[in-house]
PDB file of all heavy atoms in Angstrom:
ATOM      1  N   ALA H 177     -11.181  15.992  12.795  1.00  0.00           N
ATOM      2  CA  ALA H 177     -10.775  16.499  14.156  1.00  0.00           C
ATOM      3  C   ALA H 177     -10.298  15.397  15.002  1.00  0.00           C
ATOM      4  O   ALA H 177      -9.533  15.604  15.879  1.00  0.00           O
ATOM      5  CB  ALA H 177     -12.021  17.195  14.803  1.00  0.00           C
ATOM      6  N   GLU H 178     -10.868  14.148  14.911  1.00  0.00           N
ATOM      7  CA  GLU H 178     -10.518  12.996  15.694  1.00  0.00           C
ATOM      8  C   GLU H 178      -9.506  12.075  14.973  1.00  0.00           C
ATOM      9  O   GLU H 178      -8.943  11.215  15.595  1.00  0.00           O
ATOM     10  CB  GLU H 178     -11.753  12.242  16.077  1.00  0.00           C
ATOM     11  CG  GLU H 178     -12.711  13.036  16.991  1.00  0.00           C
ATOM     12  CD  GLU H 178     -13.898  12.238  17.392  1.00  0.00           C
ATOM     13  OE1 GLU H 178     -13.947  10.976  17.344  1.00  0.00           O
ATOM     14  OE2 GLU H 178     -14.864  12.943  17.792  1.00  0.00           O
ATOM     15  N   MET H 179      -9.452  12.203  13.605  1.00  0.00           N
ATOM     16  CA  MET H 179      -8.612  11.202  12.847  1.00  0.00           C
ATOM     17  C   MET H 179      -7.517  12.090  12.088  1.00  0.00           C
ATOM     18  O   MET H 179      -7.716  12.557  11.013  1.00  0.00           O
ATOM     19  CB  MET H 179      -9.447  10.574  11.877  1.00  0.00           C
ATOM     20  CG  MET H 179     -10.626   9.711  12.565  1.00  0.00           C
ATOM     21  SD  MET H 179     -11.768   8.956  11.309  1.00  0.00           S
ATOM     22  CE  MET H 179     -11.720   7.271  11.791  1.00  0.00           C
ATOM     23  N   PRO H 180      -6.326  12.156  12.746  1.00  0.00           N
ATOM     24  CA  PRO H 180      -5.301  13.076  12.180  1.00  0.00           C
ATOM     25  C   PRO H 180      -4.907  12.790  10.781  1.00  0.00           C
ATOM     26  O   PRO H 180      -4.596  13.710   9.974  1.00  0.00           O
ATOM     27  CB  PRO H 180      -4.121  12.964  13.160  1.00  0.00           C
ATOM     28  CG  PRO H 180      -4.548  11.799  14.062  1.00  0.00           C
ATOM     29  CD  PRO H 180      -5.996  11.540  14.021  1.00  0.00           C
ATOM     30  N   GLY H 181      -5.009  11.480  10.391  1.00  0.00           N
ATOM     31  CA  GLY H 181      -4.601  11.125   9.003  1.00  0.00           C
ATOM     32  C   GLY H 181      -5.518  11.742   7.995  1.00  0.00           C
ATOM     33  O   GLY H 181      -5.100  11.947   6.864  1.00  0.00           O
ATOM     34  N   GLN H 182      -6.705  12.008   8.369  1.00  0.00           N
ATOM     35  CA  GLN H 182      -7.730  12.628   7.387  1.00  0.00           C
ATOM     36  C   GLN H 182      -7.421  14.134   7.036  1.00  0.00           C
ATOM     37  O   GLN H 182      -8.028  14.659   6.198  1.00  0.00           O
ATOM     38  CB  GLN H 182      -9.104  12.488   7.841  1.00  0.00           C
ATOM     39  CG  GLN H 182      -9.644  11.024   7.706  1.00  0.00           C
ATOM     40  CD  GLN H 182     -11.135  10.930   8.181  1.00  0.00           C
ATOM     41  OE1 GLN H 182     -11.632  11.739   8.938  1.00  0.00           O
ATOM     42  NE2 GLN H 182     -11.803   9.890   7.752  1.00  0.00           N
ATOM     43  N   ARG H 183      -6.381  14.637   7.813  1.00  0.00           N
ATOM     44  CA  ARG H 183      -6.088  16.033   7.531  1.00  0.00           C
ATOM     45  C   ARG H 183      -5.039  16.150   6.486  1.00  0.00           C
ATOM     46  O   ARG H 183      -4.726  17.263   6.030  1.00  0.00           O
ATOM     47  CB  ARG H 183      -5.559  16.662   8.822  1.00  0.00           C
ATOM     48  CG  ARG H 183      -6.694  16.909   9.882  1.00  0.00           C
ATOM     49  CD  ARG H 183      -6.141  17.489  11.097  1.00  0.00           C
ATOM     50  NE  ARG H 183      -6.671  16.801  12.280  1.00  0.00           N
ATOM     51  CZ  ARG H 183      -5.988  16.534  13.443  1.00  0.00           C
ATOM     52  NH1 ARG H 183      -4.825  16.972  13.582  1.00  0.00           N
ATOM     53  NH2 ARG H 183      -6.605  15.828  14.476  1.00  0.00           N
ATOM     54  N   SER H 184      -4.510  15.016   5.928  1.00  0.00           N
ATOM     55  CA  SER H 184      -3.662  15.090   4.808  1.00  0.00           C
ATOM     56  C   SER H 184      -4.219  14.231   3.644  1.00  0.00           C
ATOM     57  O   SER H 184      -4.975  13.262   3.902  1.00  0.00           O
ATOM     58  CB  SER H 184      -2.197  14.671   5.081  1.00  0.00           C
ATOM     59  OG  SER H 184      -2.188  13.663   6.072  1.00  0.00           O
ATOM     60  N   PRO H 185      -3.944  14.612   2.442  1.00  0.00           N
ATOM     61  CA  PRO H 185      -4.611  14.007   1.240  1.00  0.00           C
ATOM     62  C   PRO H 185      -3.980  12.737   0.735  1.00  0.00           C
ATOM     63  O   PRO H 185      -3.796  12.504  -0.413  1.00  0.00           O
ATOM     64  CB  PRO H 185      -4.487  15.084   0.215  1.00  0.00           C
ATOM     65  CG  PRO H 185      -3.220  15.803   0.554  1.00  0.00           C
ATOM     66  CD  PRO H 185      -3.032  15.739   2.020  1.00  0.00           C
ATOM     67  N   VAL H 186      -3.601  11.913   1.696  1.00  0.00           N
ATOM     68  CA  VAL H 186      -2.914  10.576   1.284  1.00  0.00           C
ATOM     69  C   VAL H 186      -3.938   9.725   0.584  1.00  0.00           C
ATOM     70  O   VAL H 186      -3.496   8.970  -0.237  1.00  0.00           O
ATOM     71  CB  VAL H 186      -2.271   9.821   2.502  1.00  0.00           C
ATOM     72  CG1 VAL H 186      -1.014  10.403   2.896  1.00  0.00           C
ATOM     73  CG2 VAL H 186      -3.249   9.716   3.643  1.00  0.00           C
ATOM     74  N   LEU H 187      -5.217   9.732   1.001  1.00  0.00           N
ATOM     75  CA  LEU H 187      -6.206   8.962   0.309  1.00  0.00           C
ATOM     76  C   LEU H 187      -7.371   9.966   0.034  1.00  0.00           C
ATOM     77  O   LEU H 187      -7.450  10.981   0.709  1.00  0.00           O
ATOM     78  CB  LEU H 187      -6.645   7.746   1.107  1.00  0.00           C
ATOM     79  CG  LEU H 187      -5.676   6.567   1.250  1.00  0.00           C
ATOM     80  CD1 LEU H 187      -6.308   5.613   2.228  1.00  0.00           C
ATOM     81  CD2 LEU H 187      -5.414   5.914  -0.094  1.00  0.00           C
ATOM     82  N   ASP H 188      -8.343   9.515  -0.782  1.00  0.00           N
ATOM     83  CA  ASP H 188      -9.505  10.379  -1.013  1.00  0.00           C
ATOM     84  C   ASP H 188     -10.540  10.023   0.011  1.00  0.00           C
ATOM     85  O   ASP H 188     -11.234   9.000  -0.079  1.00  0.00           O
ATOM     86  CB  ASP H 188      -9.975   9.955  -2.531  1.00  0.00           C
ATOM     87  CG  ASP H 188     -11.032  10.941  -2.940  1.00  0.00           C
ATOM     88  OD1 ASP H 188     -11.222  11.938  -2.235  1.00  0.00           O
ATOM     89  OD2 ASP H 188     -11.577  10.687  -4.058  1.00  0.00           O
ATOM     90  N   TRP H 189     -10.605  10.844   1.093  1.00  0.00           N
ATOM     91  CA  TRP H 189     -11.471  10.531   2.245  1.00  0.00           C
ATOM     92  C   TRP H 189     -12.890  10.849   1.918  1.00  0.00           C
ATOM     93  O   TRP H 189     -13.172  11.783   1.177  1.00  0.00           O
ATOM     94  CB  TRP H 189     -10.998  11.379   3.431  1.00  0.00           C
ATOM     95  CG  TRP H 189      -9.559  11.155   3.831  1.00  0.00           C
ATOM     96  CD1 TRP H 189      -8.694  12.179   3.743  1.00  0.00           C
ATOM     97  CD2 TRP H 189      -8.890  10.030   4.242  1.00  0.00           C
ATOM     98  NE1 TRP H 189      -7.402  11.721   4.038  1.00  0.00           N
ATOM     99  CE2 TRP H 189      -7.475  10.404   4.405  1.00  0.00           C
ATOM    100  CE3 TRP H 189      -9.238   8.735   4.535  1.00  0.00           C
ATOM    101  CZ2 TRP H 189      -6.548   9.506   4.888  1.00  0.00           C
ATOM    102  CZ3 TRP H 189      -8.260   7.835   5.010  1.00  0.00           C
ATOM    103  CH2 TRP H 189      -7.017   8.243   5.146  1.00  0.00           C
ATOM    104  N   PRO H 190     -13.841  10.159   2.582  1.00  0.00           N
ATOM    105  CA  PRO H 190     -13.729   9.081   3.429  1.00  0.00           C
ATOM    106  C   PRO H 190     -13.415   7.783   2.655  1.00  0.00           C
ATOM    107  O   PRO H 190     -13.743   7.621   1.464  1.00  0.00           O
ATOM    108  CB  PRO H 190     -15.123   8.965   4.039  1.00  0.00           C
ATOM    109  CG  PRO H 190     -16.090   9.423   2.995  1.00  0.00           C
ATOM    110  CD  PRO H 190     -15.346  10.593   2.274  1.00  0.00           C
ATOM    111  N   TYR H 191     -12.763   6.830   3.399  1.00  0.00           N
ATOM    112  CA  TYR H 191     -12.436   5.517   2.865  1.00  0.00           C
ATOM    113  C   TYR H 191     -13.743   4.771   2.499  1.00  0.00           C
ATOM    114  O   TYR H 191     -14.693   4.799   3.320  1.00  0.00           O
ATOM    115  CB  TYR H 191     -11.671   4.705   4.012  1.00  0.00           C
ATOM    116  CG  TYR H 191     -10.964   3.496   3.619  1.00  0.00           C
ATOM    117  CD1 TYR H 191      -9.622   3.437   3.568  1.00  0.00           C
ATOM    118  CD2 TYR H 191     -11.629   2.255   3.479  1.00  0.00           C
ATOM    119  CE1 TYR H 191      -8.980   2.289   3.233  1.00  0.00           C
ATOM    120  CE2 TYR H 191     -11.007   1.094   3.196  1.00  0.00           C
ATOM    121  CZ  TYR H 191      -9.572   1.120   3.065  1.00  0.00           C
ATOM    122  OH  TYR H 191      -8.862  -0.049   2.822  1.00  0.00           O
ATOM    123  N   VAL H 192     -13.732   4.217   1.314  1.00  0.00           N
ATOM    124  CA  VAL H 192     -14.956   3.454   0.821  1.00  0.00           C
ATOM    125  C   VAL H 192     -14.552   2.141   0.269  1.00  0.00           C
ATOM    126  O   VAL H 192     -13.479   1.933  -0.180  1.00  0.00           O
ATOM    127  CB  VAL H 192     -15.742   4.226  -0.234  1.00  0.00           C
ATOM    128  CG1 VAL H 192     -16.464   5.509   0.376  1.00  0.00           C
ATOM    129  CG2 VAL H 192     -14.829   4.726  -1.406  1.00  0.00           C
ATOM    130  N   GLU H 193     -15.464   1.166   0.491  1.00  0.00           N
ATOM    131  CA  GLU H 193     -15.241  -0.194  -0.048  1.00  0.00           C
ATOM    132  C   GLU H 193     -16.523  -0.772  -0.570  1.00  0.00           C
ATOM    133  O   GLU H 193     -17.616  -0.203  -0.391  1.00  0.00           O
ATOM    134  CB  GLU H 193     -14.706  -1.113   1.060  1.00  0.00           C
ATOM    135  CG  GLU H 193     -13.163  -1.445   0.878  1.00  0.00           C
ATOM    136  CD  GLU H 193     -12.845  -2.017  -0.462  1.00  0.00           C
ATOM    137  OE1 GLU H 193     -13.692  -2.668  -1.103  1.00  0.00           O
ATOM    138  OE2 GLU H 193     -11.692  -1.935  -0.876  1.00  0.00           O
ATOM    139  N   GLY H 194     -16.480  -1.958  -1.193  1.00  0.00           N
ATOM    140  CA  GLY H 194     -17.653  -2.526  -1.688  1.00  0.00           C
ATOM    141  C   GLY H 194     -17.538  -4.046  -1.919  1.00  0.00           C
ATOM    142  O   GLY H 194     -16.403  -4.546  -2.052  1.00  0.00           O
ATOM    143  N   LEU H 195     -18.625  -4.698  -1.954  1.00  0.00           N
ATOM    144  CA  LEU H 195     -18.751  -6.087  -2.262  1.00  0.00           C
ATOM    145  C   LEU H 195     -19.863  -6.398  -3.217  1.00  0.00           C
ATOM    146  O   LEU H 195     -20.818  -5.536  -3.273  1.00  0.00           O
ATOM    147  CB  LEU H 195     -19.104  -6.924  -0.973  1.00  0.00           C
ATOM    148  CG  LEU H 195     -18.056  -6.970   0.162  1.00  0.00           C
ATOM    149  CD1 LEU H 195     -18.705  -7.595   1.386  1.00  0.00           C
ATOM    150  CD2 LEU H 195     -16.771  -7.612  -0.197  1.00  0.00           C
ATOM    151  N   SER H 196     -19.818  -7.481  -3.962  1.00  0.00           N
ATOM    152  CA  SER H 196     -21.026  -7.885  -4.715  1.00  0.00           C
ATOM    153  C   SER H 196     -22.038  -8.354  -3.714  1.00  0.00           C
ATOM    154  O   SER H 196     -21.706  -8.763  -2.547  1.00  0.00           O
ATOM    155  CB  SER H 196     -20.666  -9.017  -5.746  1.00  0.00           C
ATOM    156  OG  SER H 196     -20.535 -10.152  -5.024  1.00  0.00           O
ATOM    157  N   MET H 197     -23.308  -8.347  -4.076  1.00  0.00           N
ATOM    158  CA  MET H 197     -24.270  -8.802  -3.190  1.00  0.00           C
ATOM    159  C   MET H 197     -24.051 -10.305  -2.759  1.00  0.00           C
ATOM    160  O   MET H 197     -24.247 -10.693  -1.607  1.00  0.00           O
ATOM    161  CB  MET H 197     -25.716  -8.711  -3.870  1.00  0.00           C
ATOM    162  CG  MET H 197     -26.964  -9.056  -2.981  1.00  0.00           C
ATOM    163  SD  MET H 197     -26.930  -7.959  -1.443  1.00  0.00           S
ATOM    164  CE  MET H 197     -27.883  -6.589  -2.005  1.00  0.00           C
TER     165      MET H 197
END
Side-chain angles (χ1 to χ4, degrees):
E178 292 178 25
M179 300 174 126
Q182 285 182 338
R183 290 176 225 146
S184 33
V186 282
L187 290 174
D188 192 7
W189 310 112
Y191 194 102
V192 288
E193 253 306 334
L195 296 172
S196 71
M197 186 57 88

